[in-house]
Amino acid sequence: MALEKIEILGYRGFSVKTEVHFAIPNGQEGSGLSIITGANNSGKSSIIECLKARGGYQPPSFTVGRRNSETDSVEINFFLNGRVEKIRSVQKGSSETERLGVEQSDSIYVLPSRRAFAPFFGRSDGFTRETYLQNEELQAQRSSTMNNFQYRLFNTLKNQAAFNEVLHKVLPSKPEWSIDQSDEGNYFLKFYNGKHAHSSDGLGEGIVSIFSIVDSLYDSQPGDTIVIDEPELSLHPTLQKRVFRLLKEYSKDRQIIISTHSPYFVDMKSLTNGAALVRVANVGSGSKVWQLSSVGREILTKLSAGNIYNPHTFGLDAKELFFLEDNVVVVEGQEDVLLLPIVAEQLDMEINASFFGWGAGGASNIEHICELLLELGFDRVSGILDGDKAKLVPELKAKFPNYHFVHIAADDIRTKKARKASDAVDGLLDAKRELKEEYKEPTKHLFHELNAYMEELF
């Protein structure tokens, strides 16, 4: 199965028709990953819900809260296996929908962000993967628990060896588990920790999350589509990294679609191998989507290739970029990121923006970072260059007319001693990291302009 894209119109914040393209696996690790990022209330979960709406025995009902008030009707198109499937409102102002061309044999496994399940439950041996998905449908309200997951556990128990093989890639301690029954007749999940055991009622949310993520993967087949909303929830960073490694492994021949707030789930190697990066933002008038193109992928390939002199150009701090709402400052290097806030503090000022990582890795890279930011829909971006790179400012302004570019008054952020007379560098800060008197007024003016631009007053 290949889910190429989805079109959304009228669902929650999507007041105009919006396309989301998904990665198609090509055999390389990470190639089938589609990573959806964005701030809270941007529309990430709405995309997940639209994918969920395709499942179940009957067409979904879209409540008043799910229908965009400007359209009061919903249409979702799935481009899948060379055909187009539709889910649409039967008429404006109605909660009821119809499905056109939907083939339930091509299922999409959707795992919600809230992955708790009833700790005590009844028995059902018939919940195979297919049966489970047929019974999963979009609920009227977002629920804090998974309705049918506990019934799937009986089927998982029958395939425990295959399940545990995947589980132990994330939890090397190899926890033992089983299903037990209380004297009152209720079933529960039992976990062993050495000689001690406890029920699913006391199971930590992180372990429940891992358990359900593994369950969505272990009996999947090549070509399947698995959707996981916020896989990082309740997980320690070490476990986040292990879960992401597992998702990368499975995305060689499966489509793995995730929405996330965690930079641990954005991987440069996966993106260069073909993974999709989708940024969603609430622009006031509704949700809007931007996606990484082949040009952006080439930029990432170049900047993340591994420069030993600038190893952090796309490290963990830089990947936070994909989660920012806007107002980004791009500078040449890590000294600028560290020292410009100190300069502002000495002037009793603040820089009202977020720095891109630890710098672009050189003045020539600022252009490439801005190309990437423009492609991903960032409106308010400023580049601050050293004075000895002032000649680049007019070129950058011409290429990015809506972005803001300036250079500091000195050749560098700090004064550097010379090994020989011609090597001396005049900086904003002296050897004691104090702002030099002659640079106070021009630097104060630079910060005023920067903050005014970021506040859309410039």
Side-chain angles (χ1 to χ4, degrees):
M1 187 176 79
L3 177 62
E4 299 164 17
K5 69 176 181 178
I6 185 174
E7 288 180 346
I8 305 170
L9 172 62
Y11 191 87
R12 295 196 186 272
F14 294 101
S15 58
V16 298
K17 184 174 286 188
T18 302
E19 293 185 352
V20 182
H21 294 258
F22 300 109
I24 307 297
N26 59 23
Q28 297 186 82
E29 192 172 78
S31 62
L33 271 172
S34 295
I35 305 163
I36 306 173
T37 70
N40 289 327
N41 201 38
S42 60
K44 301 187 307 300
S45 293
S46 296
I47 296 172
I48 302 297
E49 287 179 352
C50 287
L51 293 168
K52 178 84 169 180
R54 187 179 170 276
Y57 283 109
Q58 59 187 3
S61 297
F62 293 137
T63 62
V64 172
R66 283 199 164 106
R67 301 194 307 273
N68 188 280
S69 60
E70 293 186 22
T71 62
D72 207 15
S73 65
V74 177
E75 180 177 323
I76 306 170
N77 297 324
F78 302 85
F79 293 75
L80 190 151
N81 288 350
R83 67 179 187 274
V84 181
E85 302 178 349
K86 292 181 179 289
I87 299 174
R88 65 188 184 191
S89 300
V90 294
Q91 65 183 56
K92 184 176 181 178
S94 173
S95 62
E96 298 315 290
T97 66
E98 60 180 351
R99 288 175 174 163
L100 301 174
V102 175
E103 296 186 13
Q104 291 299 334
S105 57
D106 291 330
S107 59
I108 299 176
Y109 194 119
V110 181
L111 198 59
S113 59
R114 297 174 176 90
R115 289 185 277 277
F117 60 91
F120 298 100
F121 44 87
R123 179 169 181 165
S124 177
D125 289 334
F127 265 66
T128 63
R129 186 182 185 92
E130 293 73 23
T131 306
Y132 173 72
L133 293 178
Q134 287 170 357
N135 281 274
E136 282 293 286
E137 59 185 24
L138 185 66
Q139 302 297 313
Q141 295 181 333
R142 291 175 178 172
S143 174
S144 60
T145 60
M146 297 184 290
N147 290 330
N148 298 308
F149 178 75
Q150 60 270 24
Y151 303 124
R152 180 160 157 75
L153 294 174
F154 288 95
N155 188 70
T156 304
L157 185 65
K158 297 176 183 177
N159 300 279
Q160 193 176 58
F163 177 90
N164 286 347
E165 182 180 351
V166 181
L167 179 66
H168 296 160
K169 292 180 180 182
V170 182
L171 298 176
S173 57
K174 297 186 178 181
E176 296 181 66
W177 65 275
S178 63
I179 295 175
D180 203 353
Q181 186 180 31
S182 69
D183 291 335
E184 291 75 27
N186 294 317
Y187 290 90
F188 61 92
L189 194 64
K190 177 187 283 187
F191 271 79
Y192 288 93
N193 185 6
K195 295 181 180 180
H196 305 283
H198 57 86
S199 73
S200 44
D201 190 31
L203 200 59
E205 290 183 3
I207 300 300
V208 170
S209 182
I210 290 172
F211 204 85
S212 54
I213 289 172
V214 169
D215 194 67
S216 73
L217 298 171
Y218 89 97
D219 61 349
S220 65
Q221 299 297 318
D224 281 356
T225 300
I226 299 106
V227 183
I228 306 174
D229 196 4
E230 299 183 10
E232 72 274 10
L233 287 185
S234 302
L235 298 186
H236 183 277
T238 298
L239 291 178
Q240 289 188 38
K241 288 187 278 189
R242 288 177 184 163
V243 167
F244 185 65
R245 282 200 298 267
L246 185 64
L247 298 181
K248 282 203 303 181
E249 177 186 337
Y250 271 79
S251 70
K252 290 179 182 179
D253 55 13
R254 295 161 174 82
Q255 286 183 287
I256 309 292
I257 301 169
I258 63 172
S259 75
T260 181
H261 289 284
S262 172
Y264 289 110
F265 285 81
V266 179
D267 174 62
M268 295 302 114
K269 185 63 175 176
S270 296
L271 292 173
T272 59
N273 282 348
L277 178 65
V278 181
R279 178 176 176 260
V280 190
N282 189 328
V283 295
S285 59
S287 297
K288 190 171 181 179
V289 166
W290 295 268
Q291 293 205 229
L292 187 71
S293 72
S294 57
V295 174
R297 190 169 281 109
E298 289 174 6
I299 291 171
L300 289 179
T301 301
K302 178 180 179 180
L303 296 182
S304 63
N307 185 334
I308 62 173
Y309 301 105
N310 297 292
H312 306 298
T313 300
F314 261 103
L316 188 64
D317 290 89
K319 288 189 288 187
E320 291 181 359
L321 164 74
F322 303 121
F323 304 90
L324 298 176
E325 294 185 57
D326 221 313
N327 290 26
V328 181
V329 174
V330 185
V331 294
E332 294 185 27
Q334 56 189 9
E335 285 189 341
D336 304 292
V337 175
L338 178 67
L339 296 176
L340 280 172
I342 293 175
V343 173
E345 184 178 347
Q346 292 180 19
L347 293 170
D348 293 322
M349 299 180 70
E350 291 183 1
I351 298 173
N352 298 328
S354 300
F355 284 95
F356 164 71
W358 286 102
S364 61
N365 284 340
I366 290 180
E367 176 184 348
H368 301 310
I369 298 297
C370 288
E371 286 177 346
L372 188 64
L373 290 166
L374 184 65
E375 182 170 294
L376 292 176
F378 287 87
D379 289 326
R380 294 278 134 181
V381 175
S382 180
I384 303 179
L385 289 81
D386 292 342
D388 63 353
K389 298 296 190 298
K391 64 181 181 182
L392 297 178
V393 171
E395 299 173 15
L396 290 167
K397 287 182 175 180
K399 187 166 185 178
F400 306 98
N402 293 325
Y403 287 176
H404 177 69
F405 298 97
V406 293
H407 64 84
I408 61 176
D411 283 349
D412 205 327
I413 187 67
R414 67 182 178 91
T415 299
K416 297 175 181 176
K417 294 181 179 180
R419 294 181 179 178
K420 53 186 180 180
S422 60
D423 288 342
V425 178
D426 180 40
L428 285 183
L429 300 175
D430 61 22
K432 295 182 179 180
R433 293 188 179 179
E434 294 291 333
L435 180 60
K436 295 177 182 177
E437 188 66 33
E438 63 267 33
Y439 296 133
K440 286 185 178 179
E441 284 306 314
T443 305
K444 185 180 294 186
H445 180 69
L446 183 152
F447 288 152
H448 273 304
E449 285 191 343
L450 171 64
N451 288 336
Y453 167 78
M454 290 301 179
E455 295 166 6
E456 299 187 359
L457 298 175
F458 180 69

